[in-house]
């Protein structure tokens, strides 16, 4: 009789298959993963390039502005600059990094709806003139510091089924959005577009549906008030696989293209997306070393040389990374603790692995986005080194 697999077996075999696929197609990466000092984040630049090309292939009419905050390592940015990507930045430091690669300011936008004055000033002086807004105060700020710039308004859209929702912090309803665009015009700015974010790691096509429909409603209302908008920015949200399969870029693209045909029969002058996670998330492996083991009550604990303060902050918010160890044997359930003394520093619970020994490498897969950018040196432990191959 065929035996059904346990949840633990399913989990570990998924991580194992993922690791084997990732390394078998990347012999150089595979070698480095086994030799590099830990903790290190190993990024595959040719994989990032391939992701960019894939997105462009499926959405040929859409310009990509990579969201720098997902991973701002110079190697990553340079790779994307070389293939012609645009960039979305939120701070002077991010902007400096992108400009230093020779990226022209026309390929840079800033979509954070609330920006420090110092940054708006630097961006404006650098030639960047496209800024997101979602409040009257922000319009006033931009009108004062960056006169005659183009502004695009952020509307709220559902973030249901997104593992990292963003809609509670930013965005306004379409009526308020219209008033904000009109106010921008009065202030001498150019009301230029609409933006939304469906939530990061978005696995729900319906979010794109509502978002594009709302955007088209706003677009028409703006036209009837004499404002001809130029660009539709569809934000980020493209998911990558962690412990389960997710929507593929071709599925999202197919659906979004259909929505655009329906809701924007006259295409906007420019269509934009600004993916972060979807470009780099599954192109990085965080290599850690097991530094300790303990049994606490019923729980088996493993301790590794990184943690939620040194790169795995999203673990606190619910991102579950696939974890792999090169061992065979009976699976055990583990809690993986981070390196620091803080009790918040727990990377994952209910992880099934064959028993590792102290000194073994633990591979944390899909760690390319929102890891090292979040890292601090809390408790004196180093941030993972980023190795670009
Ligand atoms: C973070 C962010 C993105 C990127 O989101 P992903 O989910 O990583 O694709 C895009 N746009 C804005 C405004 C953001 O804040």
């Amino acid at each position: 009789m065929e035996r059904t697999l346990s949840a633990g077996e399913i989990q570990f075999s998924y991580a194992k298959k993922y690791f084997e696929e990732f390394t078998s197609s990347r012999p150089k990466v595979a070698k480095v993963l086994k030799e590099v000092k830990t903790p290190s984040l190993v990024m595959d630049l040719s994989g990032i390039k391939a992701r960019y090309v894939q997105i462009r292939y499926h959405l040929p009419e859409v310009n990509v502005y990579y969201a720098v905050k997902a991973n701002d390592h110079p190697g990553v940015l340079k790779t994307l600059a070389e293939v012609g990507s645009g960039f979305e930045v939120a701070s002077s430091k991010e902007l400096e990094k992108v400009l230093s690669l020779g990226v022209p300011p026309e390929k840079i936008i800033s979509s954070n709806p609330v920006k420090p004055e110092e940054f708006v000033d630097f961006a404006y002086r650098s030639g960047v003139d496209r800024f997101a807004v979602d409040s009257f105060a922000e319009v006033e700020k931009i009108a004062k510091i960056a006169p005659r710039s183009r502004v695009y308004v952020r509307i709220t859209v559902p973030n249901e089924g997104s593992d990292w929702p963003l809609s509670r912090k930013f965005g306004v309803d379409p009526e308020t959005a219209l008033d904000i665009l009109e106010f921008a015009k009065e202030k001498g700015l150019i009301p230029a577009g609409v933006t939304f974010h469906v939530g990061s790691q978005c696995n729900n096509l319906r979010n794109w549906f509502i978002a594009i429909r709302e955007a088209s409603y706003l677009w028409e209302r703006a036209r009837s008030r004499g404002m001809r908008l130029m660009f539709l920015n569809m934000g980020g949200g493209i998911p990558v696989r962690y412990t389960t399969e997710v929507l593929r870029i071709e599925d999202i693209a197919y659906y979004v293209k259909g929505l655009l045909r329906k809701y924007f029969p006259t295409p906007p002058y420019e269509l934009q997306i600004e993916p972060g996670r979807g470009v780099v998330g599954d192109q990085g492996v965080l290599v850690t070393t097991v530094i300790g083991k303990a049994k606490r009550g019923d729980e088996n604990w493993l301790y590794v040389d990184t943690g939620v303060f040194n790169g795995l902050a999203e673990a606190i918010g619910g991102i579950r990374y696939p974890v792999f160890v090169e061992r065979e044997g009976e699976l055990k359930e583990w809690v993986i603790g981070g390196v620091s003394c803080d009790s918040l520093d727990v990377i994952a619970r209910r992880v099934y692995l064959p028993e590792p020994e102290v000194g073994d490498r633990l591979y944390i897969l899909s760690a390319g986005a929102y890891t090292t950018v979040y890292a601090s040196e809390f408790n004196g432990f180093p941030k993972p080194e980023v190795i670009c191959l």
Side-chain angles (χ1 to χ4, degrees), residues 97-219:
K97 283 188 171 186
V98 172
L99 289 171
S100 75
L101 296 168
V103 175
E106 307 83 65
K107 294 196 96 161
I108 305 172
I109 59 175
S110 179
S111 298
N112 185 336
V114 182
K115 294 165 283 299
E117 287 201 358
E118 153 289 301
F119 164 65
V120 178
D121 181 49
F122 177 55
Y124 184 66
R125 284 186 287 111
S126 307
V128 174
D129 78 331
R130 287 182 288 178
F131 301 100
V133 294
D134 68 355
S135 64
F136 296 94
E138 191 73 6
V139 168
E140 278 182 333
K141 181 195 295 169
I142 291 171
K144 185 180 72 180
I145 306 171
R148 293 177 301 283
S149 289
R150 293 175 281 175
V151 293
Y152 48 111
V153 70
R154 170 115 161 223
I155 54 171
T156 41
V157 299
N159 276 202
E160 289 152 29
S162 299
D163 286 343
W164 205 261
L166 300 158
S167 64
R168 283 190 302 274
K169 186 168 172 189
F170 295 118
V172 291
D173 63 90
E175 292 309 321
T176 310
L178 199 57
D179 292 342
I180 290 171
L181 288 174
E182 222 152 40
F183 182 62
K185 194 174 163 188
E186 279 165 30
K187 289 279 167 188
L189 297 170
I190 301 167
V194 185
T195 185
F196 56 77
H197 198 303
V198 291
S200 199
Q201 186 68 5
C202 177
N203 247 310
N204 185 357
L205 288 173
R206 184 174 171 273
N207 292 351
W208 274 284
F209 159 52
I210 307 279
I212 290 171
R213 194 187 61 191
E214 293 289 295
S216 109
Y217 171 78
L218 175 57
W219 198 272

Side-chain angles (χ1 to χ4, degrees), residues 295-307:
K295 187 140 180 90
R296 310 200 185 281
D298 295 342
E299 292 178 340
N300 297 308
W301 283 72
L302 288 178
Y303 297 85
V304 296
D305 59 359
T306 189

Side-chain angles (χ1 to χ4, degrees), residues 87-107:
F87 294 88
E88 190 276 320
V89 301
S91 63
S92 297
K93 206 159 179 186
E94 284 185 351
L95 177 55
E96 249 170 44
K97 283 188 171 186
V98 172
L99 289 171
S100 75
L101 296 168
V103 175
E106 307 83 65
K107 294 196 96 161

